[in-house]
């Protein structure tokens, strides 16, 4: 009973701790962040809102400096002059409501009033961004983010190799390489879920037995931290990648479906309840109805009610096509897809022949996890269609799951064949 109660109340405890930490960040005097905030505005003006780097023909190379400007504004506005900002996330839009960099300029340089709020997100990234703004400007913060990104990426892949084998490490490395980490690493928004994912993978590899013993609690915490820090970019990564790592570490007697199912339940509870608690805190401690704001947005995003003027964006097939063409935008798109499907079919046949129904049933857990981002894209077709240029990166879970399934299937077949040839 004690473990159950701890699990159930974990999002509430995390919300209290998170609120206190954000309040602590708000105590940083505004004068400490003023100079670097002004420098950041000048740097962002050089980039524009949707800068395309390296390859103008591909949306996978598009930055979202609109949201990065909003991130800087949120961190700048977190101060003791408005303690409710911890929960309300005040923001300002320019008179034309189209350019967030202009809006940031007006707030930082002209003391523009923050006439709007953004209450449905925790925006926990402010814990790091506001202190960093006391020393560094936007470009410098991006360089720090990129450095941390690739260090954690390297450590995660190295630990996967050490704890499993080379082919498993390559499966994860290739899956992440296909979603353009060079661009992800230089965006405050894009990098959040990837940084969390790398930390979670490292934790799973470091404390494997503890994670097994406290599976639902661990993934509940992963979901909580994802909701707290992310701006709804690629959240399914923080479940999909760590659970695939845990399955790769599992023994032959472990039940893949039970492990992945319990972990998913924990993650969904943590992610969902952390959001509900945020809306509750907003409703209780501010003059804003957080539930109305949050659920109105949720209904519009999922198609329960369709937003006027965005009807075309609710197409599931359109969303999935936008995701795939973001990864493979050229003529090779269909060839890569059908090539992967053929390889997957061959792997499935080999697994059935050499491992039987039980072997297939067990390894199919990899494919079940691989399908989760597809389900995610389908449920949230509207935001996926609109923001496919960055939300497509959840497909890394799809790649990793398929690569692991193919790798395991061919591995089983080769071992069986080798034993027959060399008894």
């Amino acid at each position: 009973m004690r473990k159950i109660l701890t699990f159930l109340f974990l999002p509430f405890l995390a919300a209290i701790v998170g609120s206190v930490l954000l309040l602590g960040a708000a105590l940083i005097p505004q004068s400490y962040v003023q100079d670097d905030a002004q420098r950041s505005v000048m740097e962002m003006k050089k980039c524009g809102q949707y800068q395309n780097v390296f390859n103008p023909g591909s949306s996978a190379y598009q930055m979202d400096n609109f949201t990065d400007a909003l991130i800087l504004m949120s961190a700048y506005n977190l101060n003791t002059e408005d303690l409710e900002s911890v929960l309300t996330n005040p923001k300002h839009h320019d008179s034309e409501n189209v350019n967030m960099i202009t809006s940031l300029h007006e707030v930082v340089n002209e003391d523009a009033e923050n006439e709007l709020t953004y209450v449905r997100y925790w925006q926990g990234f402010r814990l790091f961004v506001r202190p960093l703004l006391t020393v560094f400007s936007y470009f410098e913060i991006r360089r720090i983010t990129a450095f941390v990104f690739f260090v954690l990426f390297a450590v995660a892949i190295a630990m996967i190799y050490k704890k499993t084998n080379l082919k498993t490490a390559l499966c994860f490395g290739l899956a992440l390489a296909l979603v353009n980490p060079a661009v992800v690493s230089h965006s405050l928004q894009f990098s959040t879920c990837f940084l969390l994912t790398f930390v979670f993978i490292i934790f799973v590899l470091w404390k494997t037995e503890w994670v097994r013993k406290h599976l639902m609690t661990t993934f509940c915490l992963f979901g909580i931290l994802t909701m707290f820090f992310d701006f709804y970019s690629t959240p399914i990564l923080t479940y999909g990648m760590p659970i695939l790592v845990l399955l790769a570490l599992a023994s032959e007697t472990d039940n893949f479906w039970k492990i992945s199912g319990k972990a998913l339940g924990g993650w969904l509870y943590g992610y969902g309840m952390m959001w509900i608690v945020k809306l509750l805190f907003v409703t209780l401690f501010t003059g804003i109805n957080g539930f109305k704001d949050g659920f109105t947005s949720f209904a519009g995003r999922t198609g329960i009610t369709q937003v006027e003027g965005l009807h075309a964006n609710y197409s599931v097939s359109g969303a999935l096509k936008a995701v795939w063409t973001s990864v493979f935008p050229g003529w090779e798109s269909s060839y890569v897809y059908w090539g992967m499907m053929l390889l997957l079919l061959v792997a499935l046949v080999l697994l059935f022949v050499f491992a039987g129904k039980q072997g297939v049933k067990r390894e199919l857990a990899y494919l079940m996890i691989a399908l989760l981002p597809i389900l995610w894209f389908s449920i949230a077709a509207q935001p996926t269609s609109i923001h496919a240029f960055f939300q497509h990166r959840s497909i890394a879970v799809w790649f990793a799951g398929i690569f692991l399934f193919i790798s395991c299937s061919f591995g089983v077949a080769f071992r069986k064949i080798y034993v027959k040839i060399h008894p």
Side-chain angles (χ1 to χ4, degrees):
M1 180 58 69
R2 185 178 177 182
K3 288 180 67 175
I4 293 173
L5 289 175
T6 301
F7 173 80
L8 292 176
F9 281 98
L10 194 56
F12 294 91
L13 177 61
I16 293 169
V17 172
S19 298
V20 171
L21 290 174
L22 286 169
L23 183 60
L27 295 176
I28 296 173
Q30 199 71 350
S31 59
Y32 285 26
V33 302
Q34 187 67 40
D35 289 345
D36 282 299
Q38 290 175 335
R39 280 207 298 151
S40 298
V41 171
M42 291 188 294
E43 292 169 350
M44 297 200 85
K45 286 180 177 179
K46 297 176 184 178
C47 301
Q49 290 197 104
Y50 297 104
Q51 177 188 23
N52 197 297
V53 295
F54 306 133
N55 184 355
S58 172
S59 62
Y61 291 88
Q62 181 176 318
M63 304 292 286
D64 185 6
N65 295 328
F66 177 99
T67 304
D68 272 13
L70 181 56
I71 287 172
L72 293 181
M73 185 189 296
S74 298
Y76 182 84
N77 287 334
L78 180 68
N79 58 71
T80 52
E81 293 180 6
D82 177 15
L83 289 180
E84 284 191 358
S85 62
V86 169
L87 295 172
T88 59
N89 308 322
K91 65 176 181 176
H92 164 70
H93 279 184
D94 67 286
S95 57
E96 297 181 357
N97 195 23
V98 293
N99 195 313
M100 189 53 65
I101 297 174
T102 299
S103 302
L104 178 64
H105 166 82
E106 292 176 357
V107 168
V108 171
N109 295 308
E110 300 174 7
D111 294 323
E113 181 182 352
N114 295 292
E115 73 281 4
L116 301 171
T117 56
Y118 208 174
V119 299
R120 60 184 174 272
Y121 293 107
W122 276 100
Q123 298 192 23
F125 50 74
R126 294 176 293 170
L127 281 180
F128 297 103
V129 177
R130 185 167 176 84
L132 286 170
L133 276 175
T134 64
V135 182
F136 305 107
S137 67
Y138 175 61
F139 282 172
E140 292 165 338
I141 293 172
R142 288 206 318 190
R143 286 198 294 272
I144 293 168
T145 303
F147 176 79
V148 173
F149 178 98
F150 282 109
V151 168
L152 290 176
F153 187 4
V155 171
I157 297 300
M159 288 184 69
I160 291 171
Y161 167 66
K162 183 178 180 180
K163 290 294 185 78
T164 58
N165 50 57
L166 178 60
K167 66 177 183 179
T168 301
L170 288 173
C171 286
F172 283 98
L174 179 57
L176 291 163
L178 285 171
V179 294
N180 208 337
V183 170
V184 175
S185 64
H186 284 80
S187 168
L188 303 186
Q189 183 203 11
F190 299 171
S191 61
T192 300
C193 280
F194 284 84
L195 292 171
L196 289 172
T197 297
F198 298 149
V199 171
F200 297 164
I201 287 173
I202 291 168
F203 182 78
V204 166
L205 291 163
W206 179 42
K207 294 289 187 180
T208 305
E209 292 307 314
W210 191 92
V211 171
R212 288 176 186 272
K213 186 177 179 181
H214 305 280
L215 184 61
M216 291 190 71
T217 301
T218 300
F219 277 84
C220 176
L221 185 59
F222 290 174
I224 286 169
L225 291 173
T226 303
M227 174 55 69
F228 183 72
F229 284 107
D230 186 37
F231 224 161
Y232 187 65
S233 57
T234 51
I236 199 64
L237 283 175
T238 66
Y239 165 76
M241 290 303 199
I243 193 60
L244 286 172
V245 168
L246 193 60
L247 294 187
L249 293 169
S251 67
E252 293 185 2
T253 58
D254 287 329
N255 187 324
F256 277 21
W257 290 90
K258 184 177 180 181
I259 292 172
S260 55
K262 288 179 67 175
L264 180 60
W267 188 91
L268 287 172
Y269 176 75
Y271 185 78
M273 279 303 298
M274 190 64 173
W275 185 61
I276 296 295
V277 175
K278 175 58 162 62
L279 303 183
L280 176 64
F281 279 16
V282 169
T283 304
L284 290 176
F285 302 119
T286 76
I288 301 170
N289 187 333
F291 289 106
K292 180 180 179 181
D293 181 275
F295 283 104
T296 298
S297 175
F298 177 81
R301 292 300 195 184
T302 57
I304 296 172
T305 59
Q306 294 198 0
V307 179
E308 188 67 32
L310 298 178
H311 300 296
N313 296 116
Y314 290 94
S315 166
V316 173
S317 60
L320 295 179
K321 182 178 180 181
V323 166
W324 187 253
T325 55
S326 293
V327 185
F328 300 106
W331 59 267
E332 76 278 9
S333 178
S334 59
Y335 292 101
V336 172
Y337 176 79
W338 290 112
M340 287 186 68
M341 293 301 101
L342 179 59
L343 196 58
L344 187 59
L345 179 61
V346 172
L348 188 61
V349 171
L350 286 174
L351 189 61
F352 180 76
V353 170
F354 290 99
K357 290 182 179 180
Q358 287 302 313
V360 172
K361 180 181 177 181
R362 182 175 186 271
E363 304 296 339
L364 276 177
Y366 284 126
L367 297 187
M368 183 277 288
I369 296 167
L371 288 173
L372 286 178
I374 309 304
L375 179 62
W376 189 279
F377 297 143
S378 301
I379 293 173
Q382 186 246 45
T384 299
S385 296
I386 296 171
H387 300 129
F389 71 96
F390 66 84
Q391 290 201 346
H392 76 273
R393 293 188 172 93
S394 291
I395 203 173
V397 176
W398 190 80
F399 286 130
I402 286 182
F403 294 159
L404 285 168
F405 179 82
I406 292 172
S407 172
C408 290
S409 299
F410 277 86
V412 169
F414 288 150
R415 284 194 296 273
K416 295 282 187 178
I417 293 171
Y418 182 84
V419 169
K420 286 185 178 181
I421 296 174
H422 301 89

